[in-house]
Amino acid sequence: PGPHPHLPRMKKLLLIAGLLLSAVSSVQAQDNAQALVQKELDEMLVAWNRDDLDAHIAAYADSATWTTATGLLHGKAAIKQTLIRSFQRGTELLGELSFGKSVFRCLSDDVMVTNGSFTVGKLPSGKDINGQSTLIWKRIGPPSCLPA
């Protein structure tokens, strides 16, 4: 068998250990990305509830597309105008926004998708608006879903 009969087994164990460390790094990177996106969602929620529409939509790209019950809205400006028409009275945004638990999934090293629910409650009509939301997040800067 030669002077080092355990060498092939050691190489396999080192390879497995390396793969496990890589997987742990990947999970940690995704958790980090998820925390950053959750922070953005939290900031959007707080902004709405303090009547700050500009801060609420700050994370949206200028080229964002929104799906509504009546069709697509193209561009951050169109989204803002629709929100103003539908929810702003004077300087106040109508209702109280809340989000349900989001599901996060990395699509690539710099793209994450979130799916979740929202409610706009305490509206003057007495009726709540409930819906689902899918947001696609693209990181500007170093990759965050996969280890460097």
Side-chain angles (χ1 to χ4, degrees):
H4 303 289
H6 300 292
L7 194 56
R9 183 168 181 220
M10 290 297 286
K11 284 183 180 178
K12 277 186 187 176
L13 289 174
L14 286 173
L15 177 62
I16 291 170
L19 290 173
L20 287 173
L21 286 174
S22 177
V24 168
S25 285
S26 180
V27 168
Q28 288 172 339
Q30 182 167 341
D31 287 349
N32 210 22
Q34 182 175 324
L36 291 171
V37 170
Q38 184 62 58
K39 183 175 183 273
E40 289 289 337
L41 289 167
D42 294 344
E43 289 174 5
M44 291 171 72
L45 182 68
V46 168
W48 180 278
N49 290 326
R50 73 167 186 262
D51 301 319
D52 188 346
L53 183 58
D54 287 328
H56 175 73
I57 64 170
Y60 288 20
D62 290 338
S63 60
T65 300
W66 242 32
T67 304
T68 70
T70 58
L72 297 177
L73 296 174
H74 299 285
K76 188 177 190 173
I79 294 167
K80 181 178 179 178
Q81 287 308 309
T82 297
L83 289 171
I84 288 171
R85 274 194 312 275
S86 300
F87 291 101
Q88 192 166 349
R89 302 298 180 265
T91 60
E92 292 185 6
L93 292 170
L94 298 178
E96 185 176 301
L97 181 63
S98 62
F99 292 146
K101 185 172 174 20
S102 293
V103 175
F104 299 81
R105 187 166 64 112
C106 280
L107 300 180
S108 72
D109 63 347
D110 63 350
V111 178
M112 178 176 276
V113 64
T114 58
N115 300 98
S117 61
F118 67 88
T119 299
V120 182
K122 298 185 180 178
L123 291 166
S125 67
K127 296 181 181 179
D128 292 349
I129 297 173
N130 298 294
Q132 299 296 312
S133 173
T134 298
L135 298 172
I136 300 172
W137 302 83
K138 178 161 177 47
R139 182 172 174 84
I140 308 302
S144 61
C145 289
L146 298 177

